[in-house]
Amino acid sequence: MLTAAGSTAELSACAISGLFNCITIHPLNIAAGVWMIMNAFILLLCEAPFCCQFIEFANTVAEKVDRLRSWQKAVFYCGMAVVPIVISLTLTTLLGNAIAFATGVLYGLSALGK
């Protein structure tokens, strides 16, 4: 459903926001930032495995994710985007996860059909 350029743009926004979120002395902000960076890597692995050619299991993970239904992808995307917001509610966390959450919403809407 997503193009490779769209998925890499959203994931880079999440990773950059996570990196900015880690520049602090508050442990919860650091935990949320690390989760956002991990979230960006996992979603990049799922959506654009050609970007991770150096990882042996990237194609296997992408094939398993492609077999998931749209509502399952929606729950996965939204769930991964909500966790850092629950850990640390800051503007950086909200903006960094907004695109990933919106992608989950689009997968959910596609599960509803016409």
Side-chain angles (χ1 to χ4, degrees), residues 1 6 8 13 15-16 18 27 44 60 66-67 75 77 89 98 106-107 114:
M1 180 173 157
T8 54
I16 291 169
L44 182 70
T60 308
D66 284 340
R67 283 187 253 141
V75 169
Y77 268 82
L89 182 62
L106 289 175
Y107 273 123
K114 293 183 178 181

Side-chain angles (χ1 to χ4, degrees), residues 38-97:
M38 182 191 66
N39 184 15
F41 177 72
I42 290 171
L43 296 178
L44 182 70
L45 189 67
C46 295
E47 288 293 327
F50 61 87
C51 293
C52 302
Q53 293 177 357
F54 56 91
I55 299 175
E56 295 178 13
F57 60 89
N59 289 329
T60 308
V61 171
E63 290 171 3
K64 289 182 181 180
V65 170
D66 284 340
R67 283 187 253 141
L68 293 176
R69 296 185 178 136
S70 292
W71 69 268
Q72 292 169 330
K73 287 182 185 179
V75 169
F76 180 67
Y77 268 82
C78 291
M80 290 287 284
V82 167
V83 171
I85 296 170
V86 171
I87 293 174
S88 172
L89 182 62
T90 61
L91 185 63
T92 308
T93 311
L94 282 173
L95 294 178
N97 289 308

